[in-house]
Amino acid sequence: MTIQATELQVPWGLAISANGRVFFTERDTGVVSELSQGRPRPVRGIDGVVPGGEGGLLGIALSPEFADDRLVYAYFTGAEDNRVVRFALDRPDPVQVLVRGIPKAGVHNGGRIAFGPDGMLYVGTGDAGRSELAQSRGSLAGKILRVRPDGSVPPDNPFPGSPVWSLGHRNVQGLAWDGRGRMWAAELGPDRDDEVNQIVRGGNYGWPQVTGATRADGFRPALAVKQPSEASWSGLAFVAGEAFPEWGDSLVASGLRGGRLWRFPITPEGGLGPGEELFGGEFGRLRAVVSAPDGALWFTTSNRDGRGEPAAEDDRILRYGR
């Protein structure tokens, strides 16, 4: 375990390029930074970020063609809504808004974004404290959205003309794809049942009608469920078996209230095995977790978010690997 950065202000999103460049967001400062020789280097302040509650500058993703186009994507809470934007690194071009109109609130703003193996951008949103919106196809709240890199709607989305890819989510916080291209998401439950779900095109994951592994007609049950005191998942990463041979292919979820990582082995049948706890109680609240190109796990603490007990060096970015 190595500490890569210290004294950060609520690092929320984390992205690593194919050649190992590390970028992160800080929720309350509205600044995207690059980690350079152990120190943060601000690369862009995002105008219009309105931090408050669980909102602010949240997720970050790098273009699949980042080496050529140098495009950085971000999700933030503004005055009226949550938005997805992009900008070109080291160029003064204005920030381009790609998705707008995602309902905002003091809680449940979602915020995780990631490119899938199909080259599309996936966006996890929250229900903005209005649970009924999660079942409404006309609302972007409580959904996973799928858009092209320019923000337009792909023609093969399940609902014509809509960016909605899946619905019935309470507050999506983690997105990952395994080695077979299957999509997974981690989300926060209410006072019970934090979930890891396998996401399928047009799937309905039940909120607010059902939570957890409950089986009900028309809804897809979670494949891993833990309670908020040990989970409160806020990030998700796929770890290939060659990176940690003793693990095999696994999903790793980061826990806020739980203050630990959870590793779930992916079974040959495509399910999830029993969870293994990692680093319980060592670093406090854990927010983002990503798998780097070299196979190492990177994750962030979130002890300065108003709900933790900061240590002297918090918040931190940490690396675990060989």
Side-chain angles (χ1 to χ4, degrees), residues 5-8 10-11 301-304 313-317:
T6 61
E7 299 180 1
L8 305 177
V10 194
T301 70
S302 193
N303 295 317
R304 295 192 179 276
E313 293 187 327
D314 278 332
D315 275 318
R316 291 170 280 178
I317 298 176

Side-chain angles (χ1 to χ4, degrees), residues 152-212:
S152 61
V153 176
D156 57 344
N157 271 14
F159 310 113
S162 171
V164 172
W165 185 249
S166 64
L167 66 156
H169 300 287
R170 182 174 180 267
N171 196 15
V172 178
Q173 297 284 287
L175 299 171
W177 287 261
D178 64 26
R180 294 171 58 183
R182 295 171 297 197
M183 184 180 182
W184 301 83
E187 68 177 277
L188 297 166
D191 56 354
R192 64 188 186 282
D193 296 348
D194 294 334
E195 302 177 356
V196 177
N197 291 294
Q198 188 176 131
I199 304 300
V200 300
R201 178 181 184 272
N204 190 328
Y205 292 82
W207 178 253
Q209 278 83 350
V210 298
T211 64

Side-chain angles (χ1 to χ4, degrees), residues 52-292:
E54 296 175 1
L57 181 56
L58 305 177
I60 186 173
L62 305 179
S63 164
E65 308 299 328
F66 178 75
D68 296 319
D69 62 29
R70 300 169 68 80
L71 290 174
V72 179
Y73 291 72
Y75 182 115
F76 76 87
T77 309
E80 303 295 334
D81 58 5
N82 289 297
R83 299 183 175 190
V84 179
V85 299
R86 72 178 181 184
F87 64 89
L89 189 68
D90 300 329
R91 296 208 301 266
D93 306 3
V95 169
Q96 180 183 5
V97 179
L98 305 180
V99 181
R100 67 181 74 225
I102 302 170
K104 63 164 282 187
V107 296
H108 305 179
N109 287 294
R112 198 67 63 191
I113 60 175
F115 279 95
D118 58 0
M120 300 298 165
L121 180 65
Y122 290 79
V123 180
T125 76
D127 68 7
R130 297 171 58 192
S131 59
E132 72 278 5
L133 296 181
Q135 290 295 323
S136 171
R137 292 185 189 173
S139 172
L140 301 184
K143 308 294 190 298
I144 294 175
L145 312 179
R146 176 180 183 258
V147 296
R148 292 189 179 104
D150 65 2
S152 61
V153 176
D156 57 344
N157 271 14
F159 310 113
S162 171
V164 172
W165 185 249
S166 64
L167 66 156
H169 300 287
R170 182 174 180 267
N171 196 15
V172 178
Q173 297 284 287
L175 299 171
W177 287 261
D178 64 26
R180 294 171 58 183
R182 295 171 297 197
M183 184 180 182
W184 301 83
E187 68 177 277
L188 297 166
D191 56 354
R192 64 188 186 282
D193 296 348
D194 294 334
E195 302 177 356
V196 177
N197 291 294
Q198 188 176 131
I199 304 300
V200 300
R201 178 181 184 272
N204 190 328
Y205 292 82
W207 178 253
Q209 278 83 350
V210 298
T211 64
T214 301
R215 295 186 177 273
D217 290 345
F219 301 133
R220 297 185 64 86
L223 296 189
V225 179
K226 295 291 180 184
Q227 300 312 308
S229 62
E230 56 187 0
S232 296
W233 289 316
S234 187
L236 190 67
F238 169 67
V239 178
E242 57 266 26
F244 293 89
E246 67 275 20
W247 287 357
D249 287 357
S250 300
L251 292 176
V252 175
S254 50
L256 290 169
R257 284 181 60 189
R260 70 202 79 175
L261 299 180
W262 282 97
R263 183 185 72 86
F264 295 97
I266 300 175
T267 68
E269 298 77 26
L272 298 178
E276 175 190 4
E277 300 179 41
L278 305 169
F279 311 119
E282 292 187 37
F283 304 109
R285 294 164 60 82
L286 303 182
R287 176 76 65 177
V289 59
V290 300
S291 183

